[in-house]
Amino acid sequence: MRLAEVAERFGATLDCPEQGDRPVLGVAPLETATATDISFLANPKYTALLQTTEAAAVFVRPDFQGEAACPLLRVPHPYLAFAKCIEWFYPQPKPPAKIHPTAILGADVVLGAEVTIGAYTVIGDRVRIGDRTVIDSHCTLYDDVVVGADCRIYSHCVLRERVQLGDRVILQNSVVLGSDGFGYVPLPDGRHYKIPQVGTVVIGNDVEIGAGTTIDRATLGETTVANGTKIDNLTMVAHNCTIGENAILCAQVGLAGSTHIGNHVVLAGQVGAAGHLTIGDRTIVSAKSGISSSVPPDSRMGGIPAMDQTLYLKVSAAVKQLPDLLKRVRKLEAKVGG
């Protein structure tokens, strides 16, 4: 592909049209791009790399004013253009639509058109799988599971009984959906009586769930993840949680039971929520924070326990001054005592 074709395909304005015949063979980061690679600049902290990159061209915003060692492709959203460029140059292979001879299918299974089921995967009774869905090897779908169209389920995933997936859902390796919620009744003699977990898990359309993540079934009713939400690796979602649309849960987030996450919420890595609380729409919580009570919409939170982000930054700055402050207090105490 030529540079001019890249500009046309991705709706970009090429700063140097006379270089439109330059060949483009791939994509790469600014620091490693070669003369046949496309790159992008989305974060201003990397602007200096534009002067040293060897890229064929770089996607930038239309109002970018800096200098560069290569032609610029001006687009409203450089990161999105770069992502689409990756899709174009590196299309993901799709396995052929077939059922591997070692796969085991239960009674009354309903398969859509062009479904792929890999080696040693076990499909329970009355499972329904939508068109063009791909299920890799060594997966287990228990009885009465429903999987929508165009889903991709990677190896070693487990979908327990009655779990439902919408369309275009991606489950990375070793996801477990619908395991029992962690519920017990303390007995007078100190033992714990298990509460039956008879609900299920319902996943909306266009959801992606990262490797090793677990989402527990509801005690009663549903644990739900709404359309468009993305969940990172090693995340724990407990029973009866609800997660709204287009939320982002980064790695190792932990939600205790009956946590309710609004739409467009962002929980950074290792955020924990105490349970039986609500985090309002469009809230952003910084990494390693602990949410102990409900949070209103449009909040910015951080810390343990979580507080307003501005206050959290002030507290963090003040903590660094504590050793010097303690010395000053001791000196004052010595003077007063003397």
Side-chain angles (χ1 to χ4, degrees):
M1 181 179 282
R2 302 292 175 177
L3 186 53
E5 295 175 84
V6 173
E8 181 178 3
R9 172 170 291 276
F10 299 105
T13 300
L14 179 59
D15 269 8
C16 304
E18 68 276 7
Q19 299 202 42
D21 285 337
R22 295 183 67 169
V24 178
L25 303 178
V27 295
L30 284 168
E31 59 269 31
T32 60
T34 68
T36 57
D37 290 326
I38 294 291
S39 192
F40 76 104
L41 176 68
N43 190 329
K45 67 188 287 186
Y46 299 112
T47 300
L49 291 175
L50 283 179
Q51 299 179 37
T52 58
T53 186
E54 297 181 7
V58 176
F59 287 116
V60 298
R61 292 185 59 84
D63 57 356
F64 178 76
Q65 297 297 322
E67 297 183 359
C70 64
L72 299 178
L73 294 162
R74 297 182 182 273
V75 289
H77 200 319
Y79 202 12
L80 178 60
F82 185 69
K84 291 183 175 181
C85 207
I86 293 174
E87 287 180 333
W88 174 255
F89 281 102
Y90 306 101
Q92 295 296 305
K94 184 177 179 179
K98 66 176 184 179
I99 311 302
H100 195 277
T102 62
I104 299 174
L105 275 62
D108 301 317
V109 171
V110 177
L111 302 181
E114 301 179 47
V115 168
T116 299
I117 300 178
Y120 301 104
T121 282
V122 178
I123 307 295
D125 296 342
R126 299 174 300 281
V127 170
R128 290 183 287 153
I129 300 173
D131 297 345
R132 298 173 300 280
T133 283
V134 176
I135 303 175
D136 283 354
S137 61
H138 296 281
C139 293
T140 302
L141 278 61
Y142 282 57
D143 295 347
D144 301 300
V145 163
V146 176
V147 178
D150 299 300
C151 294
R152 182 64 190 265
I153 301 176
Y154 288 92
S155 296
H156 299 286
C157 288
V158 176
L159 280 64
R160 289 276 300 274
E161 57 273 18
R162 304 187 310 283
V163 165
Q164 299 178 34
L165 302 188
D167 298 333
R168 299 174 300 280
V169 173
I170 300 172
L171 303 183
Q172 300 292 344
N173 301 82
S174 300
V175 166
V176 178
L177 303 180
S179 54
D180 281 1
F182 193 69
Y184 301 88
V185 178
L187 300 178
D189 61 4
R191 294 181 299 122
H192 302 284
Y193 187 87
K194 181 177 176 65
I195 301 172
Q197 307 294 303
V198 298
T200 190
V201 173
V202 177
I203 307 296
N205 300 326
D206 301 299
V207 171
E208 181 163 359
I209 300 176
T213 286
T214 61
I215 301 180
D216 288 350
R217 68 176 52 251
T219 306
L220 298 169
E222 299 173 349
T223 302
T224 62
V225 180
N227 297 342
T229 283
K230 314 301 181 185
I231 300 176
D232 199 359
N233 300 339
L234 299 174
T235 296
M236 163 64 191
V237 178
H239 61 88
N240 292 94
C241 288
T242 61
I243 301 174
E245 294 185 351
N246 299 304
I248 295 289
L249 276 63
C250 298
Q252 298 184 346
V253 162
L255 304 181
S258 299
T259 297
H260 304 292
I261 307 295
N263 300 325
H264 304 283
V265 168
V266 177
L267 303 183
Q270 297 186 333
V271 166
H276 299 278
L277 55 81
T278 298
I279 299 176
D281 295 348
R282 299 172 300 279
T283 289
I284 299 175
V285 184
S286 60
K288 292 183 176 289
S289 298
I291 306 293
S292 58
S293 59
S294 291
V295 177
D298 299 299
S299 298
R300 301 293 182 269
M301 307 291 289
I304 303 175
M307 61 193 79
D308 178 80
Q309 180 73 6
T310 301
L311 176 59
Y312 169 60
L313 293 175
K314 291 179 179 178
V315 170
S316 298
V319 167
K320 297 177 183 178
Q321 302 176 40
L322 286 179
D324 290 337
L325 182 59
L326 182 59
K327 290 180 182 178
R328 291 169 60 189
V329 170
R330 285 174 175 169
K331 288 181 180 180
L332 290 172
E333 287 177 337
K335 288 182 180 180
V336 172

